[in-house]
Amino acid sequence: SPPAAVSQVTVRDALNQALDEELERDERVFLLGEEVAQYDGAYKISRGLWKKYGDKRVIDTPISEMGFAGIAVGAAMVWLRPVCEFMTFNFSMQAIDQVINSAAKTCYMSAGSIPVPIVFRGPNGASAGVAAQHSQCFAAWYGHCPGLKVISPWSAEDAKGLLKAAIRDDNPVVMLESELLYGVPFEMSEQAQSKEFVIPIGKAKIEKQGTHVTLVAHSRPVGHCLEAAAVLSKEGVECEVINLRTIRPMDIETVEASVVKTNHLVTVEGGWPQFGVGAEICARIMEGPAFNYLDAPAVRVTGADVPMPYAKILEDNSIPQVKDIVFAVKKALNM
């Protein structure tokens, strides 16, 4: 049979496709947030959707995260399926009470009688030159809370499949996108572009097989890991690269199986080191069966432990670069 058609799709278009398909599929789904309707979205993720679906399904809100997140949570409690866009996740701090106290805990506190099927989505982590108040990663913040599912896509396929899964899920889902990936094209198979394509929440993906060291990352650093793996391959080091995809529930089994094979672990993330995603992975490996297979201590590569500087050269030195990953791998392998 002929090879399946593969085309290049940007993360922006993959997200747009997912929203369009789910709005069409289920009339309970609606999108709300700042500038999502008439302006086509601050990052053009919702381009064309207001024209197609109208005021009831794509709703421009006032600049009040606490207000519109609360409206969305209330709508989810009466079985609508809102997609609540934060212009950046830094602004979700205005609404964190709604996300955690109202959305995450209600199903448990109502003994399962009030599910809250809602998606909170938007760009997370560092962009470029937007300084400390617009650059932090919330994976560890939201990943800490029972009652939430937390997803962090890298590729266009991740973005589409995970957003569709999130919208269909009966639990509150926090979807942490990367602004710097929105315009990046990825190969997408014909299957991934079908209307029924979903990626199960809670499953990591091995992006590259390898035998010497396990690299685990989520969001944009997955790409950095693949670049570092290409550099190290020239020196005879074969990295296995794992794209976490989901922060909570974390697929530690895939990481364990890889560590059993490679005997070395390096975690990579854009967030701060203390209580970070990498810290959690290291602790889980330490507590589990894979610990006995480690030939060296696990190494974490993280953002610098500072509020994000504004100056470009300082920003570059505050975010993990390919050279930092290469250095960490060599440290883990005692090279």
Side-chain angles (χ1 to χ4, degrees), residues 38 64 86 108 111 117 135 140 197 210 215 228 246 261 263 277 282 297:
Q38 295 190 29
S64 172
F86 294 123
Y108 177 83
S135 297
F197 178 73
L215 289 174
T246 306
K261 181 167 82 166
N263 314 112
V277 174
C282 291

Side-chain angles (χ1 to χ4, degrees), residues 79-318:
W79 274 104
L80 292 173
R81 302 184 87 86
V83 178
C84 175
E85 177 179 309
F86 294 123
M87 201 180 285
T88 124
F89 258 91
N90 298 273
F91 304 157
S92 78
M93 277 193 283
Q94 301 287 334
I96 204 163
D97 178 55
Q98 297 291 1
V99 178
I100 291 166
N101 281 325
S102 302
K105 298 173 184 174
T106 293
C107 188
Y108 177 83
M109 292 176 75
S110 67
S113 66
I114 307 175
V116 186
I118 186 171
V119 181
F120 300 101
R121 51 153 295 272
N124 168 68
S127 176
V130 292
Q133 291 181 348
H134 299 78
S135 297
Q136 66 223 38
C137 173
F138 286 85
W141 292 51
Y142 287 118
H144 184 58
C145 299
L148 291 176
K149 293 185 179 183
V150 182
I151 54 182
S152 181
W154 167 60
S155 65
E157 187 174 301
D158 291 350
K160 183 179 179 192
L162 287 170
L163 179 52
K164 286 172 73 83
I167 291 171
R168 296 180 190 191
D169 201 293
D170 287 341
N171 300 279
V173 182
V174 170
M175 181 164 179
L176 305 168
E177 300 156 12
S178 164
E179 183 187 329
L180 294 174
L181 288 174
Y182 283 154
V184 177
F186 287 88
E187 287 195 348
M188 244 175 126
S189 66
E190 208 167 357
Q191 178 208 0
Q193 293 191 66
S194 87
K195 289 190 174 177
E196 286 315 304
F197 178 73
V198 291
I199 290 172
I201 293 172
K203 281 298 296 171
K205 181 187 178 194
I206 296 171
E207 296 286 351
K208 178 189 174 295
Q209 299 279 348
T211 49
H212 296 127
V213 59
T214 299
L215 289 174
V216 188
H218 65 95
S219 191
R220 192 162 167 261
V222 174
H224 293 76
C225 286
L226 289 169
E227 287 177 50
V231 170
L232 287 156
S233 181
K234 295 195 175 90
E235 299 185 41
V237 176
E238 292 305 324
C239 303
E240 182 142 298
V241 178
I242 298 177
N243 171 7
L244 268 184
R245 283 181 165 174
T246 306
I247 305 300
R248 180 185 190 102
M250 190 177 275
D251 180 4
I252 211 69
E253 296 77 17
T254 294
V255 181
E256 282 175 339
S258 180
V259 169
V260 166
K261 181 167 82 166
T262 68
N263 314 112
H264 297 89
L265 173 65
V266 174
T267 68
V268 186
E269 67 194 300
W272 293 314
Q274 189 153 321
F275 310 112
V277 174
E280 176 66 19
I281 294 167
C282 291
R284 298 276 277 276
I285 292 297
M286 171 93 198
E287 291 163 353
F291 175 68
N292 296 313
Y293 290 84
L294 278 176
D295 288 345
V299 181
R300 290 182 293 158
V301 180
T302 71
D305 199 18
V306 293
M308 183 63 72
Y310 173 68
K312 180 164 181 13
I313 186 134
L314 293 176
E315 181 180 69
D316 288 345
N317 279 287
S318 300

